[in-house]
Amino acid sequence: FMIRYIIKRLLLMIPAILATSLIIFVAMNMTGGDPVDSLAPENATEEQIEEIREELGLNDPLLVRYLKYMGGMLRGDLGVSYVTKQDVFKTFAERLPATLKLACSSVLVATLVGLPLGIYTAIHQNTWKDTGGMVFALFGVSMPNFWLGLLLILWMAVEHQWFPVSGWYGPRYVVLPALTMGLTFTASIMRTTRSS
């Protein structure tokens, strides 16, 4: 029974993914701007611009471009970046290990901080400790990542020089980004744990 339910849910995802991808594709085409403007040389003639448009397939109707895009996606071909001229999947694969390290580190920070704080505020419900925890959670939910990241850089990297500001040369370099992302999720985990 459970396997049939899972298969049914997976099959229902297909139309949702197709609809979402079509909406995003159409929205991106409606935003204006032309990738040829950034790719063409500064003194490009109309013929050169038209040649680039034809080469990229930008002269095709929107539906044809979408079908080509989805066909490439099904084959694992994400195309070539307009900017770097490199294969998009290759670029994605090169960046994936660092992304996974950051994601796992962020989840670890969020769990190690959020669960104990959620339990602590639940045990001390309706006291000043609980109120302080909820203020911290509200602060965490409201604080934008980019602002928290800047504050952590100023405090931990510039003022105290505990961690490096940027780069990736070892575990110390992931601490600030993991704290930045993890503390945002900490608030959600804390609130869920407390209410549970």
Side-chain angles (χ1 to χ4, degrees):
F1 176 74
M2 188 62 152
I3 294 174
R4 201 176 336 146
Y5 174 76
I6 292 170
I7 291 171
K8 182 181 172 186
R9 298 301 294 178
L10 288 173
L11 290 174
L12 286 173
M13 284 176 53
I14 294 171
I17 290 171
L18 287 173
T20 305
S21 67
L22 180 61
I23 290 168
I24 292 170
F25 194 84
V26 170
M28 291 297 292
N29 280 278
M30 290 173 60
T31 57
D34 191 352
V36 176
D37 293 339
S38 61
L39 297 173
E42 205 171 303
N43 301 329
T45 64
E46 282 296 322
E47 291 81 24
Q48 289 174 317
I49 291 173
E50 194 57 36
E51 188 179 311
I52 294 171
R53 289 186 65 74
E54 192 62 43
E55 183 184 318
L56 296 174
L58 296 173
N59 288 334
D60 295 337
L62 182 67
L63 186 61
V64 172
R65 285 187 283 150
Y66 174 72
L67 291 174
K68 284 181 181 177
Y69 167 72
M70 288 307 290
M73 291 283 286
L74 290 173
R75 292 190 308 272
D77 178 15
L78 300 179
V80 177
S81 169
Y82 293 150
V83 179
T84 63
K85 304 281 193 281
Q86 293 181 343
D87 184 69
V88 173
F89 186 78
K90 184 181 174 196
T91 305
F92 170 76
E94 287 172 0
R95 309 271 195 292
L96 185 62
T99 303
L100 290 176
K101 287 174 189 169
L102 178 58
C104 292
S105 303
S106 301
V107 169
L108 185 66
V109 167
T111 305
L112 290 177
V113 176
L115 276 177
L117 280 176
I119 293 169
Y120 183 79
T121 55
I123 290 171
H124 299 94
Q125 198 168 13
N126 300 324
T127 64
W128 67 270
K129 296 172 184 174
D130 179 33
T131 306
M134 287 301 99
V135 167
F136 172 77
L138 181 65
F139 176 77
V141 169
S142 305
M143 174 76 74
N145 273 348
F146 66 87
W147 184 249
L148 178 61
L150 287 173
L151 292 177
L152 289 175
I153 287 171
L154 286 172
W155 180 49
M156 295 180 150
V158 175
E159 189 176 326
H160 295 293
Q161 297 180 350
W162 293 334
F163 300 105
V165 176
S166 64
W168 175 253
Y169 303 103
R172 290 183 66 232
Y173 288 81
V174 80
V175 172
L176 286 178
L179 278 175
T180 302
M181 290 181 62
L183 289 176
T184 304
F185 297 122
T186 294
S188 301
I189 291 175
M190 179 183 156
R191 291 170 67 185
T192 305
T193 305
R194 179 190 177 277
S195 62
S196 299

